[in-house]
Amino acid sequence: MKPNALKVLIYATWRDRLLVFDEPDFPEVELQVPGGTVEAGEDVGAAALREFSEETGILPATPLTPLAVHDYRFSKNGTETCHRRHYFHVSLEGKQPTTWLHREMTPFSGGGPILFRFFWLSFDTASTRLGYGMEHGLPLLG
């Protein structure tokens, strides 16, 4: 199946934790990692850095490392959809807050800003709590 969209997912780690977020205004939305849609003509690596910075408010000091590409298939409203996901890793350094709020000002949905609440989870906990198949690439982190 040809992908309907190109996506990037970023596994940001700090010490022995993974950065995740939820959406306080939409409690039905599952736990996620930063990521988003690659724009037409955009380099995948540039998209990963852009999405990470837009969603978290962080511009990492170290580069994002490509991990893998995976086609994620799902059914939505009775239609089969395929997203080609490019997984990246970034190891954050220095002191990091335990939790923070940040507004995504340019969501893909085209609506208004979306409030994200970021926090850190152990890899084991993240592997059971992440939604939308986002746990797929976690074993690549070692």
Side-chain angles (χ1 to χ4, degrees), residues 39 43 58 62 67 72 81-83 90 98-99 105 118 141:
E39 296 175 0
D43 175 78
I58 297 172
T62 57
L67 294 174
Y72 177 68
T81 300
C82 177
H83 288 171
V90 63
T98 56
T99 186
M105 301 306 287
F118 288 92
L141 296 177

Side-chain angles (χ1 to χ4, degrees), residues 61-138:
T62 57
L64 278 64
T65 304
L67 294 174
V69 179
H70 175 256
D71 285 353
Y72 177 68
R73 291 175 174 81
F74 60 99
S75 183
K76 185 174 182 181
N77 301 325
T79 303
E80 179 83 7
T81 300
C82 177
H83 288 171
R84 178 151 296 153
R85 290 179 168 178
H86 294 259
Y87 290 83
F88 288 82
H89 174 244
V90 63
S91 180
L92 299 178
E93 300 173 352
K95 186 174 180 178
Q96 300 295 327
T98 56
T99 186
W100 71 95
L101 298 173
H102 185 75
R103 290 193 188 277
E104 160 80 69
M105 301 306 287
T106 55
F108 181 71
S109 62
I114 299 173
L115 181 64
F116 295 146
R117 177 178 37 220
F118 288 92
F119 53 98
W120 304 92
L121 289 179
S122 70
F123 297 122
D124 287 343
T125 302
S127 70
T128 63
R129 294 199 45 212
L130 281 171
Y132 314 109
M134 292 186 177
E135 74 286 351
H136 174 80
L138 286 176

Side-chain angles (χ1 to χ4, degrees), residues 15-35:
R15 298 182 179 164
D16 61 346
R17 303 279 183 207
L18 179 74
L19 182 63
V20 299
F21 71 90
D22 63 11
E23 297 182 29
D25 296 331
F26 303 97
E28 70 280 4
V29 173
E30 297 180 51
L31 209 58
Q32 300 176 60
V33 296

